Amino acid sequence: MITVHHLENSRSHRLLWLLEEMGLSYEMRRYERHPETSLAPPELQKIHPLGKAPILVDDELVLAESGAIIEYLMTTYDAGTWRPTDGTAARRDYNFWLHYAEGSVMPLMLLSLIMSRIETAPMPFFVKPIAKQIAAKVRSGFLTHNVARHLRFMDDSLANRDWFCGDELTAADIQMSFPVEAAEARSDLASDYPRLSDFLARIRERPAYRRAIEKGGPYQLMGGKSD
């Protein structure tokens, strides 16, 4: 029996969505964030030492990390619907996007979140100008340019297709959904990256995506909760 340990407003939403798309039976255990720190509760550490979601338990097997969980589900339960055939261009694209999501673009989204929190965090008045100056330098010297480059790359990749690997939704698209939604919370996708905005519109129309929200609870990233 599959059990998903799900944290509100987190990467674990996309795991619920994938399980709904695959039609697999699962049990969900939902955890709420600390109201002040937004951190995951310590109870998750009893399931996995990292104490972060998602965590998937399948009988005696305990897995963390979204990409590793998706790979396990594809290898164990998928008959070829959610992962392209080996040796094809679509499969190479699938492998790239599956790892790109957390390996390349999410670190930038996380750094953007950290800079935003530095800029808005309560602190002594004499420290605040220094903190804002540091954040501004990080943005101007590194972050703004790199985020824009990645978002343009992602947007251009959807120029001639609806999904990142071709004409059909794959598990890699589900993996990519979180960084695109994180980008939406921190930029104007509709104006600057319309194909990414359309991508989000398509996934949000899917019944399985909506069922994941119904089961996992309200899901929005404007508050900057991204563990």
Side-chain angles (χ1 to χ4, degrees):
M1 177 65 181
I2 295 174
T3 300
V4 178
H5 295 269
H6 166 63
L7 179 66
E8 63 173 342
N9 285 325
S10 78
R11 291 165 167 84
S12 57
H13 161 77
R14 60 188 171 185
L15 181 55
L16 299 179
W17 174 25
L18 176 58
L19 290 169
E20 290 292 330
E21 291 281 7
M22 295 179 73
L24 296 176
S25 298
Y26 66 95
E27 176 184 306
M28 183 196 70
R29 297 181 186 174
R30 187 176 187 274
Y31 302 80
E32 295 184 357
R33 294 176 178 275
H34 189 282
E36 295 179 2
T37 66
S38 295
L39 294 175
E43 288 82 359
L44 277 172
Q45 283 190 292
K46 298 177 182 178
I47 313 301
H48 189 280
L50 292 178
K52 288 184 174 290
I55 300 170
L56 181 139
V57 179
D58 193 5
D59 294 329
E60 300 299 318
L61 180 65
V62 179
L63 288 173
E65 288 294 334
S66 300
I69 293 171
I70 290 174
E71 291 279 21
Y72 170 75
L73 291 174
M74 294 300 99
T75 301
T76 308
Y77 294 105
D78 182 49
T81 302
W82 299 103
R83 182 173 61 173
T85 304
D86 284 342
T88 63
R91 181 58 174 270
R92 290 190 291 273
D93 287 344
Y94 170 91
N95 290 337
F96 172 80
W97 293 111
L98 185 69
H99 296 286
Y100 170 86
E102 292 294 332
S104 293
V105 69
M106 270 313 299
L108 292 172
M109 294 296 104
L110 180 57
L111 182 57
S112 178
L113 168 63
I114 292 170
M115 292 302 105
S116 296
R117 290 189 172 178
I118 288 174
E119 292 165 338
T120 59
M123 63 185 71
F125 73 91
F126 55 88
V127 175
K128 200 169 190 68
I130 300 173
K132 286 190 172 183
Q133 186 178 36
I134 292 172
K137 286 186 176 180
V138 172
R139 288 188 185 280
S140 63
F142 172 77
L143 190 56
T144 300
H145 167 74
N146 278 287
V147 168
R149 181 175 62 174
H150 279 270
L151 293 181
R152 282 195 303 270
F153 168 67
M154 292 155 60
D155 194 72
D156 290 346
S157 297
L158 295 173
N160 299 309
R161 54 193 186 185
D162 286 344
W163 307 108
F164 283 101
C165 303
D167 296 327
E168 301 293 334
L169 178 76
T170 70
D173 294 291
I174 294 175
Q175 177 81 327
M176 281 294 297
S177 66
F178 189 83
V180 179
E181 288 181 310
E184 180 190 42
R186 297 166 179 83
S187 61
D188 186 355
L189 286 188
S191 296
D192 299 332
Y193 308 100
R195 298 183 189 98
L196 292 180
S197 182
D198 291 344
F199 169 82
L200 291 184
R202 283 191 291 274
I203 68 174
R204 288 166 179 166
E205 290 174 355
R206 297 187 68 86
Y209 182 96
R210 295 178 178 178
R211 288 197 301 272
I213 291 178
E214 291 172 1
K215 294 183 178 181
Y219 174 65
Q220 62 92 17
L221 300 179
M222 288 301 292
K225 300 172 181 177
S226 63
D227 284 344

